[in-house]
Amino acid sequence: MTTPPRQAIAVTGLRKSYGDHVVLDGIDLHVPAGTVFSLLGANGAGKTTAVKILSTLVGADGGSARIAGHDVATDPDAVRAAIGVTGQFSAVDNLLTGQENLKLMADLHHLGRVAGRRRTTELLEQFDLVDAAGKPAATYSGGMRRRLDLAMTMVGSPEVIFLDEPTTGLDPRSRRNTWQIVRELVASGVTIFLTTQYLEEADELADLIAVLDHGKIVARGTAEELKRRVPGGHVLLRFTDPRALESAARVVGRTTRESDALALRVPHDGSLRSLKSLLGRLDENVVEVDSLSVHTPDLDDVFLALTGNPDNQKVTAR
């Protein structure tokens, strides 16, 4: 019998309102340990409120939440000891060096002098900050500041890290470096709760994604599962001969023709079975295709299709 994965985050019926404005309307979240979970939603959808509740910064109006096995409402100190939080805006002290920032965090975690120095040295090496350790944080680039911020979050060896839009404002290289750090943290057993405005980021990193809209979870699943829910996937067939294009159109049936480009767009659900079936029909009818490419909706399409419309709240989550 297979043992189910341990849940690092377990949320049931979480609710939060500010006056008459409902921010979270009974959401459920279950995040296995050692994974990346991404919460997507438009500005004002409730992402930051969810993070604040789960990190014990504000209280919920209803429902329950457990982080690393500890109840957020009844055992907040244990939750705080088990988590790290890295916000959109860096918590780095510009007047201190990188090493001093880490030592300060070690003191706040009551690690002791020897243990604090050891942990500081480990994190400077892990986050590739050894050469800049003695320089003021004010001189760091955006990417270096983000690495230092993450290193400071790791001083207490958290089981769960909340990353609230961690790569906002970073250049593409620094963003990808941050992604690699996140992957390494997860490989070491850390659980990541990620909110982001970069849908490519969720696509790259997240094992599971939930879409939050008007305070409700309107969809959840892997990136590929969510993409398959949105229409628009197709196979683009290109031909060198107009007669081959005509033959393919007769064989395939429902298509969109691009006559000038000698191409056909065939609706496709993204599955391997569907692609094999299409190629089989073309082969059986001796239709020669010059090239083909498979196009599937991306998370931008998913996001636009599922958010911003109150009717989308009727979509049931997987």
Side-chain angles (χ1 to χ4, degrees):
M1 182 177 178
T2 303
T3 303
R6 181 174 65 86
Q7 299 296 310
I9 301 173
V11 176
T12 304
L14 200 64
R15 299 192 305 276
K16 182 67 178 179
S17 298
Y18 292 101
D20 294 332
H21 178 54
V22 178
V23 181
L24 298 176
D25 194 7
I27 68 170
D28 298 334
L29 299 172
H30 299 281
V31 182
T35 64
V36 178
F37 172 83
S38 183
L39 186 62
L40 302 182
N43 289 334
K47 303 187 303 298
T48 298
T49 298
V51 170
K52 286 182 176 180
I53 292 173
L54 297 180
S55 58
T56 77
L57 294 177
V58 299
D61 296 333
S64 63
R66 298 184 71 83
I67 309 294
H70 307 291
D71 189 281
V72 170
T74 62
D75 200 2
D77 288 341
V79 172
R80 293 175 193 134
I83 67 173
V85 181
T86 299
Q88 178 179 347
F89 301 104
S90 173
V92 170
D93 188 322
N94 285 327
L95 298 179
L96 301 180
T97 66
Q99 186 175 50
E100 289 169 341
N101 270 283
L102 289 169
K103 285 183 176 179
L104 175 61
M105 290 302 296
D107 290 341
L108 291 174
H109 280 278
H110 307 291
L111 292 188
R113 185 174 182 180
V114 175
R117 285 182 175 178
R118 181 169 61 248
R119 188 65 176 142
T120 294
T121 300
E122 291 172 352
L123 290 169
L124 288 171
E125 293 175 353
Q126 181 180 351
F127 288 86
D128 194 22
L129 290 168
V130 173
D131 291 341
K135 299 177 182 178
T139 66
Y140 285 19
S141 66
M144 291 171 64
R145 289 175 63 83
R146 179 51 71 194
R147 295 207 306 275
L148 178 57
D149 206 17
L150 284 168
M152 291 167 64
T153 301
M154 289 299 298
V155 167
S157 302
E159 297 178 52
V160 178
I161 297 179
F162 293 93
L163 299 181
D164 192 9
E165 301 187 22
T167 61
T168 296
L170 295 187
D171 61 77
R173 184 182 300 277
S174 296
R175 184 174 300 132
R176 290 186 177 276
N177 288 341
T178 302
W179 293 353
Q180 184 56 36
I181 290 172
V182 169
R183 293 188 184 102
E184 291 169 358
L185 291 175
V186 173
S188 71
V190 175
T191 303
I192 303 291
F193 187 109
L194 170 72
T195 72
T196 179
Q197 294 288 350
Y198 299 109
L199 300 187
E200 179 193 8
E201 188 160 88
D203 203 353
E204 282 280 339
L205 295 176
D207 299 291
L208 290 172
I209 297 170
V211 182
L212 184 65
D213 189 45
H214 291 85
K216 291 182 178 291
I217 300 295
V218 296
R220 75 181 80 224
T222 66
E224 292 307 315
E225 287 169 344
L226 293 179
K227 291 173 190 177
R228 286 200 291 268
R229 296 179 57 163
V230 177
H234 64 274
V235 177
L236 184 65
L237 304 174
R238 295 188 181 276
F239 306 89
T240 57
D241 185 342
R243 289 172 298 181
L245 183 146
E246 294 294 337
S247 297
R250 288 193 298 271
V251 168
V252 174
R254 185 164 64 97
T255 64
T256 300
R257 185 177 304 205
E258 300 178 7
S259 299
D260 292 343
L262 293 179
L264 293 176
R265 290 177 181 265
V266 183
H268 180 59
D269 64 6
S271 68
L272 181 59
R273 178 180 297 179
S274 176
L275 181 60
K276 290 173 67 176
S277 175
L278 171 62
L279 295 178
R281 279 181 287 156
L282 293 170
D283 189 51
E284 289 170 5
N285 288 273
V286 198
V287 177
E288 186 172 345
V289 179
D290 181 54
S291 66
L292 69 82
S293 54
V294 178
H295 299 259
T296 58
D298 57 22
L299 282 184
D300 284 29
D301 299 314
V302 173
F303 185 83
L304 292 172
L306 295 177
T307 63
N309 184 350
D311 291 340
N312 287 333
Q313 294 181 16
K314 300 175 183 178
V315 178
T316 55
R318 191 182 68 82

